[in-house]
Amino acid sequence: MSLKHDQSRSLNRHRAYYLFAVSFSMSVVQAVTMPVIPYMAYKLGASQFIIGMIGSIGSLLYCIGTLVSGILSAIVVPYRIFLLSLMLYTVTALGYALLVRDPIDILLLKIIEGLSWSFLWPPLESTLADVYSSHERLVSIFSFSWSSGMILGSILSNWSLRCKFSTVFFLSSSISFLCLIYGLLVRFNTNVSKALRYSINDVKDAMFSDVTWLYPLFYSLPLGIIFTFFPSHAPIWGFNESIIASAIFVIISSRTLVFTLAEKYVTKRALSMFLGSLLASTGLLIYGLVHASIHTIMIASLLVGFGIGLIYASLFHSAITSSDRLRSIHTSLFEFSIGLGYFIGPLIGGMVAELHLSLPYVIGALMQLIGLIPLLLRSKALAVVS
């Protein structure tokens, strides 16, 4: 019995290491390609509205896909859904490398890319929670794996914005393909316990009994606006490509630092959420109104990074450490809300950017501040988050 237990623990450790490696690798890919897509659309002559549509359409499919993947994860093994996501991204990245001739091509490929990311994160988070014994350590290790990947990717984005776009996406496709091949060799449990299956009523209860699952959109709303529009606005405002990569690096690295520290030292999650929203909205306002120099862009990026780091730290722990039976629902709702922020920001921003380039950032900041009102009023919901 002890031998079987040791073998099971060893196998679960191997599975967890593989999932952490995928989390890191695909985060690198995501950060490297994230500024390239709107920049590529700008170089191909896309209007601000089309650039906004490119950002929002992928996020819309991400929202839909996270709910679908969460439900499917209770019917089939979550890890199979996550392998499907790797296959979809491998094909999509090849499409970016070989098929893009105008902005509409990017728009169509962004639909598939949005689905691929939505099928990756909720099943990966749910599977990790199943195979890793300590949920407390899981939050910090998983956060470190994807955030360090994003930091490395943001550094490499300075290269990706300067080299041939096809090269970037060929390499991205290769990384995803290698993760897929190795994933097919890793043995995961292929049985789904009936006790872990849930009904539509479970989904409704999770969605309507407590609306705190909507709060992650305030984490992704500033990111959706900056990552979608700044790569095309920077050259118009007189900056070169290096400022794009630098701004993304500052946002991601400061976010990582803050939520790593906040996870350990911040106990009042409602206060963390409140301060995070204030900082992020201030950073957005600086982006929109005071973007005259590199220094102001860096200060704005730092404020946004600190803000979203506090917001993320206040919410992620609740999603991933929920009960076994409802974990797929909670991780899916968490990712759905993140996708909602990435959808709303570029969609509204694309409409108003045609009037003035500063408006997406200003309106995003106002939306962030308006979001504080229900946060302050719903004391009962805040108690749940805390």
Side-chain angles (χ1 to χ4, degrees):
M1 185 64 125
S2 177
L3 180 60
K4 285 186 177 181
H5 180 68
D6 290 342
Q7 289 175 338
S8 177
R9 287 185 60 186
S10 177
L11 185 56
N12 279 340
R13 193 180 302 115
H14 182 209
R15 292 165 176 164
Y17 289 159
Y18 162 71
L19 294 171
F20 288 136
V22 171
S23 171
F24 172 82
S25 302
M26 295 307 293
S27 294
V28 172
V29 167
Q30 192 170 28
V32 164
T33 59
M34 189 165 45
V36 171
I37 292 171
Y39 188 64
M40 181 166 59
Y42 166 73
K43 287 290 188 180
L44 291 172
S47 66
Q48 292 297 310
F49 178 74
I50 292 297
I51 291 174
M53 283 297 295
I54 288 171
S56 63
I57 194 68
S59 300
L60 175 62
L61 270 295
Y62 183 88
C63 289
I64 296 170
T66 51
L67 293 180
V68 172
S69 67
I71 293 171
L72 288 177
S73 294
I75 301 171
V76 299
V77 180
Y79 130 88
R80 290 176 177 169
I81 308 298
F82 131 84
L83 288 180
L84 174 62
S85 77
L86 294 174
M87 183 181 71
L88 283 174
Y89 186 81
T90 300
V91 174
T92 305
L94 280 177
Y96 281 126
L98 299 173
L99 303 178
V100 170
R101 297 292 181 270
D102 60 60
I104 300 302
D105 296 333
I106 301 176
L107 187 67
L108 295 174
L109 285 167
K110 194 67 178 175
I111 294 173
I112 307 173
E113 185 190 356
L115 278 177
S116 68
W117 290 117
S118 72
F119 284 2
L120 177 71
W121 295 115
L124 188 150
E125 291 162 5
S126 181
T127 305
L128 258 176
D130 288 337
V131 301
Y132 202 79
S133 56
S134 171
H135 285 175
E136 293 301 322
R137 290 192 62 203
L138 169 61
V139 172
S140 59
I141 296 174
F142 174 66
S143 297
F144 177 79
S145 69
W146 71 261
S147 60
S148 59
M150 292 292 284
I151 290 174
L152 176 59
S154 67
I155 296 171
L156 294 175
S157 66
N158 191 36
W159 159 82
S160 67
L161 287 163
R162 295 171 183 270
C163 75
K164 288 182 65 175
F165 298 139
S166 58
T167 302
V168 175
F169 288 107
F170 272 128
L171 290 173
S172 300
S173 180
S174 300
I175 292 171
S176 179
F177 181 69
L178 289 174
C179 290
L180 173 63
I181 293 301
Y182 193 81
L184 293 172
L185 302 176
V186 178
R187 291 180 298 159
F188 279 81
N189 180 24
T190 56
N191 297 316
V192 181
S193 170
K194 292 181 179 179
L196 297 182
R197 295 186 179 182
Y198 51 80
S199 65
I200 295 298
N201 288 331
D202 290 323
V203 180
K204 289 180 180 178
D205 289 343
M207 292 181 69
F208 298 114
S209 63
D210 175 22
V211 297
T212 54
W213 63 269
L214 276 171
Y215 292 156
L217 74 85
F218 297 110
Y219 158 80
S220 54
L221 180 70
L223 294 179
I225 291 171
I226 294 170
F227 291 165
T228 298
F229 294 106
F230 187 63
S232 64
H233 292 174
I236 297 173
W237 290 338
F239 299 111
N240 59 28
E241 294 91 343
S242 63
I243 191 66
I244 303 171
S246 299
I248 293 173
F249 170 74
V250 170
I251 291 172
I252 291 174
S253 57
S254 58
R255 174 190 67 181
T256 302
L257 174 64
V258 168
F259 75 59
T260 300
L261 295 175
E263 183 63 38
K264 294 181 179 179
Y265 301 112
V266 176
T267 56
K268 296 183 178 179
R269 300 191 183 278
L271 178 62
S272 174
M273 179 78 184
F274 179 79
L275 291 176
S277 293
L278 282 179
L279 289 172
S281 60
T282 303
L284 280 174
L285 284 174
I286 295 174
Y287 257 100
L289 302 176
V290 198
H291 49 256
S293 70
I294 293 176
H295 301 296
T296 55
I297 293 295
M298 292 300 104
I299 291 171
S301 300
L302 200 63
L303 289 173
V304 171
F306 285 161
I308 61 174
L310 286 170
I311 295 170
Y312 185 89
S314 70
L315 297 169
F316 178 69
H317 185 275
S318 300
I320 204 166
T321 59
S322 55
S323 66
D324 288 346
R325 200 175 76 84
L326 298 179
R327 188 181 299 126
S328 291
I329 298 178
H330 289 150
T331 55
S332 294
L333 290 176
F334 179 82
E335 294 294 339
F336 171 82
S337 185
I338 287 177
L340 197 61
Y342 279 120
F343 168 68
I344 293 172
L347 180 65
I348 297 176
M351 295 176 183
V352 299
E354 295 287 346
L355 302 174
H356 198 284
L357 296 185
S358 295
L359 283 177
Y361 309 96
V362 175
I363 290 179
L366 292 176
M367 292 173 65
Q368 197 84 3
L369 292 173
I370 291 171
L372 291 177
I373 297 173
L375 189 67
L376 292 171
L377 294 177
R378 292 184 61 87
S379 58
K380 182 180 178 181
L382 294 183
V384 175
V385 176
S386 299

